[in-house]
Amino acid sequence: MKKGFLKGTVFIFLVTPVFLLAQKKFSEEKMFHVVSASGKSIFSGKISDKATGKPLAGVSVYFNDLRTGAVTDADGNFSVANIPSGKHLVEISYVGYSTVSEYVEFNNDVKKDYSLSLAVVENDAVIVTGVSSATQLKKSPVAVSLIRKQDLFNGVAPNLIEALTKKGGIATVSTGPAIAKPVIRGLGYNRVVVLNDGVRQEGQQWGDEHGIEIDELSVSKVEILKGPSSLIYGSDAMAGVVNIITNSPIANNTINGNLFSNYQSNNRLRSFHGNIAGNKNGFNWNVYGTYKAAADYKNKYDGYVLNSKFKDRNFGGYAGYNGSWGFSRIIFSKFNQTLGVIEGNRDDEGYFIKTVAGGGEARGSFSDFKSIIPLVPFQDIKHTKYISDNSFNIGKSRLTAVIGFQENQRVEHGNADNPSAANLSFDLKTVTENIQFHFPEKNNWRTSIGVSGMQQNNTNKGDEKLIPNYDLTDEGVFIFSKKQMDKLTLSGGIRFDTRTVNGKKTMEGNDEKFASFSKSFSNLSGSAGLSYEANKNVLLRFNLARGYRAPSLPELASNGEHEGTNRYEYGNLNLKSETSLQVDAGLEVNNEHISFQVNVYNNNISNFIFYQKLESVFGGDSLINNATAFKFQQQRANLAGIELNLDIHPHPLDWLHIENTFSVVNGKFSKLIDGIKNIPLIPAARLITQLRGDFLKKGKMIRNVSISAELDNTFKQNNAFTAFNTETSTKGYSLINTGINAELVSKNKTICSVSFHVMNVTDVAYQNHLSRLKYTAENLVTGRTGVYNMGRNFSVKINIPLEFKLKS
C-alpha cells in the first residue's frame, strides 16, 4: 500500500465533514438541493406508563439509521425534527420498560403517543448488525444477542468479551484477564469479525496474545450475530459478528455525561471513566477518557500469577452534524495498553520465576505481584482509529458512506538486559470503505446495494520477524433485500469478493527470512432466511447462508515463535479459502409466565485451516530453538450445536426471574488426524442458572433494585484436539456468583447507580478449556500443569450521570 494513498484517503474523509459543517453558513436548500428530501417532518408525541397512565420522563426516542432522536420531558412529551420523507424505524426505550419499535411513514409531520409496559423480556429491540439498515430484532432470520450498557454495568467480568459469554453460544479464548477474543459457536480468531462503530477492527487478531483493543468502558451497546455474515462483511465473518457501538448522538439541546469507577479486589483492578456529550441544533459531539490498571491476579492453587498485570489509557469521541440532508460524523479513538505476558515458569519449589538482567532468573517478589508495571516479557499496544460516517438523503432514498483508517502498533519486549528493545514489532495500517445505496421501500420491499473494500499494509520494525511485510487488498460488491408480508419477513442477498495478498521480501538481520509472493482469492457468498410471527407469542426463524474466509497472512506465511509460547509456526502458501454452508433454525415463545428460545445449527466447512505438528527427519517432534514446530493444514469439518434459554417469570410475580441458558457445540473433522476427529478450541458445554429479583422499579429514593444469585456450570470437555499433544481434556467446574444493583434517586432523577458483585464466591480453582494458560509449564511440586483462572473476586461499581439542558 502506497503511503500517498493512505495520506490521501485520510485527508479526504477528514476534510469531507468539515466541508459539510460549513453548510450552516449557507442555505440548505441551495447547497443541497440535489440530495435534499422532498420535505422534512417533525415527529412528536407523548409517552406514558401503560398501567398508570402517568407520563414518563427520560424515555429515549431514536432513529438509528438517521442518527437522531429525543428524550421525553417531565410531561412525557418528545419532538424530533428534520425527519426526511419515507419510512423510518423508530426505537422507544426506557430502563425497566419493554422496548417498542415500529416503522413510521413520513410525508408530513407525524404526531403519535405511546404507552410502555414494565419489562419482562427484550424482544422488540432494534439491531443494525448483519443487515444493510436498522431492523427489528424479531424480524432477523438469524439469532442476534443484544447487550446494553446497563446490562454491562449490572454484571461483572474481567473484561468486555468475558461479559458477553453470559449469552448462549459465546465463549472466549483468553490469555489472562487482559487478553480475550470472542468465540462464536466454536469458531474464533479470524473467523469472527469485530466491528467498532461500523468499522471492522483490525489489530493482528490472529495471535493468541492479541485482544480486541477497544475501550470497554466507552461501550454503549453490543450486538452479537451468530452465524455466517459474509454477505454484509465479506471475508472472515464465518462464525458471526460482534458489533461494539460506542458513540450515539444524544437528544437535541442537551449535554449529558457520566463519571464511572470500578474496583475489583482480586487483582486490585481500578477503573476510571468519564464522558461528556452534547447536541445543539444538530451539531453533536462526545468526548471520553478511561484509565484502567490491575496488578497480578490470584487463585488458591497458584497464588499470585506473575506478570498478569496490565494498564490501559484510552480516549476518544466524535463530532458531527445532523441536518435535513442527512448527517456526517468524524469518530476518533486512541487505545493504549501495556500488559505482561504470562509465561508460567516456576522453580523446583513451585514459585513463579522471572527473567533478570544478565540471563539469570529470580523468584517473583511481593512487590512484583502488587505492581501494575509489567515485567519482561510484555507488550505495548497502540491502536488509533479515525472513522468518517455519512448519510445523504436523496428523495426517499439514502446513500451511506463509512470510511475508516486505523493503525495498530504492537511491540513485544522480551530482553531483560534491554527491556525497551523490540523483539517483535508490527505496524499495521488499514483503510476500510463501505458505501451503500438504500432504495425507497416499494411494495414492502427494502433493498440495498453496496460496495466495500479494505487496504492493509504491515511493516515489521523489530529485531525478529514472525510474518513478512505485506500489502492486502479486499474488494466486494453485494445486494441485500427484505420483504415484509404481514407476519412473514423474508431477507437475503448475494455477494462477490476478491482478496489479493502481496508478501514482500523481508530480511532478519543479514538473512532473508521471507521471500516475496503473491496470492489471490475470490468467492461468491449469500444467504436467504425468514422470520415468521405465528402469533403474538410465537416466533419462528430459519436461515441458510454460505460463508467465506480467505487464509490470514500468518496461515499463509508465518515463520517464527511468539514470546510466551512454545510453538514455532510455519505458514502454508498452498492453503485455499475456507467456505461454509450453515443452516440455522430458531423458535421463540413468550407469554406472561415464561420466555423460551431455542436455536439449532449445522455448519459444514470446506478447507478448515488448523495447525499440525511437524515430525523430525530423525523421528519425534521437530524442534526449533527448543520450540515445537507446527505447520498450517486443511481438512473438511462440521460443527453442530444447540442454544437454549428459559426465563421463568410467573405472573403475578413479575419481579421474579429464574433464567437458564444452555449451549453446546460439537466439532468434528471428516477424517482422522493423528487418530482424532475433534476440532481444536471447541468450548465445553455450559449451563448458567440465575435467580433474580427486580424490585422498586418506581421507587422515589431507591429504584431498579436487582438482587441475583447465579450458578455457572461448565461441563468437562473430553472431546479435545489431542492430536500432536495440541490440547488436553479439561475438567468441569461450577462457580457461584452473586450481586446487587440499585439506583439512588432524588426528585425523580438518578443521582448515581451502584453495583456490588462477588464472583466465584467459593473460590473454586479451575481452568477454562479455552484458556491458553492451561498449557504453560508444570508445577513440579503439585504436579499440576499450567496456570489456573481467577479466584474469588469482589467488585464495586458506581456511575454518576450528568445532565444539562440548553436553550433552543
Side-chain angles (χ1 to χ4, degrees), residues 314-359:
N314 313 317
F315 66 93
Y318 85 95
Y321 183 78
N322 286 60
S324 61
W325 49 269
F327 66 83
S328 183
R329 305 191 300 163
I330 279 290
I331 303 170
F332 166 76
S333 65
K334 181 79 172 181
F335 177 92
N336 294 271
Q337 186 178 66
T338 304
L339 69 155
V341 175
I342 304 167
E343 294 187 299
N345 296 324
R346 310 177 212 235
D347 62 19
D348 292 340
E349 296 183 38
Y351 292 94
F352 284 112
I353 54 176
K354 61 182 178 179
T355 304
V356 296

Side-chain angles (χ1 to χ4, degrees), residues 157-212:
N159 53 66
L160 173 63
I161 301 303
E162 192 68 38
L164 306 184
T165 64
K166 299 295 183 180
K167 299 294 183 179
I170 313 300
T172 177
V173 172
S174 66
T175 313
I179 302 173
K181 47 170 51 75
V183 173
I184 300 177
R185 293 178 169 177
L187 298 174
Y189 294 85
N190 282 62
R191 297 180 180 95
V192 175
V193 165
V194 174
L195 298 177
N196 185 207
D197 287 326
V199 169
R200 56 187 291 163
Q201 184 83 356
E202 289 291 324
Q204 312 281 13
Q205 60 265 34
W206 40 266
D208 287 336
E209 289 76 38
H210 303 167
I212 62 167

